[in-house]
Structures are given as structure tokens and as C-alpha cells.
Amino acid sequence: FVRGRRLEESGGAKDNAIHVCLTSDDTDLRGLVVTIRSAVASAREPGRFHFHVVTLETLVSLFKEALKTHLPGVHVSVRHNAQLQRRIQSFISFRETSRARRELVTPLNFAPFYLHEFLVSKKSGKVPAERIIYLDPDTAVLGDLAELQALDLQGHAVGAVKTCSQRLEDYVDLEALTG
């Protein structure tokens, strides 16, 4: 995460890589593959991409094999952290009054808030990049993600797309946060 400067101006990403993370526990990998393929197809320099896929420990082998088969030549690493997923699960509860879909109440749906922990290197103890672009695994990328990589966040640690299809109150108990 670069605060307020283009990544290349910050001295980060010496290898000029664009790190993109996706999370999924769905064994139907078509959406995930479409997201990655569309990002690669829309990029001026597709060789800059390093995709990180976070999933469940039980799905790592399936994901590695399927992504290797369907995305030849694309740099994809598959990661898991069962201990972190259990910790996230301990924070999650489903409110019957919520309009959220119960199937979305999983640790991997909240994993984007913990990317720095999922992506930390066991060898160095560091995250592989200063900036990581997170995409939902059902996103069709129609532009060059290098533009997001270079975007000036004006001092903000995170940038996000506003969506009108979801309401924060459906997923977060705002009264519990303020009360």
C-alpha cells in the first residue's frame, strides 16, 4: 500500500510486478479463471502480473492443478492459512435480521481485510508488495490494472469501488461498532 504516491515514485516494486489477490472457496473455478484471463487480456504488459489466490487448505491442490491447466504461462500462487481462517471465523456471526446471504458468511469472504497476513512470506516475514490489488473472483476486468497500480490514493491506505448492489449494514452491525 503506497500512501499518496505512485508506486514507482515510492521506490517500491523493484521488479515492477503488479500483485493481484483473489479469494475463493468455490470449487467451480470458472469465475476465477475468467477474472485472471480478462486481467491478462486487458493489460499492456501482462508479464507484470503475479496473481495470489487465497483458498482453503483442502482446496489448494485442486486450485493449483486447475489454474496451471487453464492459465498456462500466468504467474499464479495459491495460498492458505488455516490458523488465520479459524481466527477470522471466530469473529463472524450471522444475524437473522440481516439481509446478507448466509453463504457469504465465510472467512474467505472477509479475507480481503487480512491480505497482509495471508500473503506474508514465511521466509522473510514480509508481504511481497507495497500495493496489492484485490479483485472478487467473479470480476471481468475491462481495463489495464496497471492504471490502478499507479493510481495516487492521496494518502489513503485503501481505494475501493462504490457498489450500489450491497449495503454495508447487511454485513456489519453498525450499532455494535458505535455503541
Side-chain angles (χ1 to χ4, degrees):
F1 304 100
V2 178
R3 298 188 183 249
R5 296 189 317 263
R6 291 183 179 270
L7 190 61
E8 54 272 14
E9 295 169 357
S10 72
K14 292 179 180 71
D15 63 358
N16 207 25
I18 299 172
H19 292 266
V20 180
C21 187
L22 306 100
T23 62
S24 179
D25 56 3
D26 190 349
T27 55
D28 181 354
L29 299 178
R30 290 178 293 186
L32 187 67
V33 169
V34 166
T35 299
I36 294 172
R37 280 188 178 169
S38 65
V40 169
S42 298
R44 285 185 287 281
E45 299 177 79
R48 291 179 60 196
F49 285 119
H50 183 135
F51 293 94
H52 306 271
V53 177
V54 177
T55 191
L56 304 174
E57 183 176 14
T58 56
L59 297 178
V60 169
S61 295
L62 169 72
F63 275 45
K64 283 183 177 180
E65 190 61 37
L67 295 174
K68 181 179 174 183
T69 299
H70 296 289
L71 299 167
V74 178
H75 189 184
V76 180
S77 63
V78 180
R79 298 163 177 261
H80 71 89
N81 185 327
Q83 181 179 357
L84 177 56
Q85 288 165 322
R86 283 191 299 276
R87 192 174 97 220
I88 295 169
Q89 182 67 51
S90 74
F91 300 139
I92 300 172
S93 63
F94 184 77
R95 294 177 288 133
E96 294 302 327
T97 59
S98 168
R99 289 187 241 161
R101 298 188 328 252
R102 187 178 288 276
E103 64 269 15
L104 296 179
V105 184
T106 69
L108 288 180
N109 205 39
F110 294 90
F113 298 104
Y114 299 88
L115 292 182
H116 62 287
E117 293 183 58
F118 277 108
L119 300 180
V120 69
S121 168
K122 291 177 184 171
K123 289 181 183 178
S124 70
K126 297 179 181 179
V127 176
E130 290 183 24
R131 179 173 284 188
I132 297 167
I133 298 171
Y134 174 79
L135 297 174
D136 277 338
D138 59 355
T139 303
V141 178
L142 301 177
D144 193 345
L145 290 178
E147 293 176 27
L148 287 179
Q149 178 76 9
L151 186 68
D152 182 352
L153 295 177
Q154 300 177 357
H156 299 284
V158 176
V161 176
K162 184 176 183 177
T163 177
C164 297
S165 65
Q166 302 294 320
R167 293 171 14 122
L168 182 63
E169 301 82 34
D170 292 343
Y171 299 94
V172 177
D173 185 352
L174 298 175
E175 288 183 29
L177 291 176
T178 59

